[in-house]
Amino acid sequence: MKMSDCERLTLIRLHEILSLLKPKEAKEHEAAIHVLREGYHEDLYEQTTGTYLADPFPENDQSLIYDVLDLYESLKQSYDKLPKTERKQVDKESLRFRGFDEATEHTHLRFVRFVIKKQHRWTVLDHKTDFNADQPMLEIYRLLLRESRKLKAEPGEYTAEQINQLVAWAQPATNVL
């Protein structure tokens, strides 16, 4: 995190006020004030105050996730509109949004959990899952979106055949010896 002089001065004043309002925490606030006044590296301020900011989540990644969630919502809505006989042709479990890999895509996973569980968006998706796919999914989702655009179907209007065709792209890779 890079702070301007104005931001540092604002934080100094805030810590001065907080030290007066919460005398038991005055030493922590005085340490933060010292770090800010002396212009020490922002990491030291973060360590002193326990205030950590993640790097901004890239807007293009947010858009990608929104597109993927919209597609899964559309697949679920399409499935729900199918006649019973056609629904039997689709594995309902394959329509479940799997999420992202916690080990390699943790920022994407945190973002998905936030927009689905905290903002209560994409309500037709399964909210009970933790959305940890246990394997990298970004490239799979990019491929899935590219293939969905080729179908040129209206959102929520996929046929059973189109649904099966799309979810096949998102199935986990199997290890073949």
Side-chain angles (χ1 to χ4, degrees), residues 1 51 55 66 78 104 109 115 124 130 153 161 165 167 170:
M1 152 176 70
T51 305
D55 291 332
Y66 290 156
S78 296
T104 60
L109 179 60
V115 296
V124 301
D130 71 350
E161 182 181 332
Q165 188 178 352
V167 296

Side-chain angles (χ1 to χ4, degrees), residues 11-28:
L11 284 171
I12 288 170
R13 297 294 178 248
L14 177 65
H15 283 289
E16 288 172 344
I17 293 167
L18 287 171
S19 69
L20 294 172
L21 291 174
K22 298 185 175 195
K24 290 181 180 177
E25 299 171 10
K27 283 187 180 184
E28 289 86 5

Side-chain angles (χ1 to χ4, degrees), residues 70-175:
D70 285 343
L71 176 60
Y72 272 90
E73 183 176 58
S74 179
L75 290 170
K76 174 77 170 91
Q77 290 169 342
S78 296
Y79 173 83
D80 291 343
K81 289 179 183 178
L82 292 174
K84 266 188 179 181
T85 55
E86 289 184 42
R87 271 193 232 157
K88 291 178 183 177
Q89 299 171 20
V90 177
D91 175 18
K92 190 173 182 180
E93 179 62 21
S94 68
L95 300 175
R96 184 178 62 83
F97 171 67
R98 295 181 54 226
F100 291 94
D101 181 40
E102 191 162 28
T104 60
E105 301 164 337
H106 59 279
T107 56
H108 295 78
L109 179 60
R110 283 196 324 258
F111 183 76
V112 160
R113 286 176 176 162
F114 174 74
V115 296
I116 292 177
K117 294 184 181 236
K118 301 285 189 207
Q119 289 193 319
H120 308 289
R121 296 178 65 187
W122 290 279
T123 56
V124 301
L125 301 180
D126 180 11
H127 286 229
K128 294 175 187 149
T129 181
D130 71 350
F131 300 110
N132 182 6
D134 292 323
Q135 81 171 61
M137 296 297 294
L138 275 171
E139 290 310 312
I140 292 171
Y141 291 144
R142 285 186 180 105
L143 179 63
L144 183 61
L145 288 170
R146 189 170 54 242
E147 293 302 315
S148 72
R149 289 181 188 114
K150 288 179 185 177
L151 294 177
K152 296 185 175 88
E154 290 295 316
E157 300 295 328
Y158 293 106
T159 66
E161 182 181 332
Q162 289 172 323
I163 292 171
N164 285 328
Q165 188 178 352
L166 286 172
V167 296
W169 289 104
Q171 294 307 308
T174 55
N175 294 331

Side-chain angles (χ1 to χ4, degrees), residues 2-18 29 32-39 42 45:
K2 187 80 174 144
M3 285 188 247
S4 69
D5 289 345
C6 182
E7 291 166 327
R8 285 184 22 222
L9 285 171
T10 302
L11 284 171
I12 288 170
R13 297 294 178 248
L14 177 65
H15 283 289
E16 288 172 344
I17 293 167
L18 287 171
H29 293 295
I33 291 167
H34 184 78
V35 168
L36 290 164
R37 276 206 178 112
E38 296 301 320
E42 285 86 354
Y45 175 75

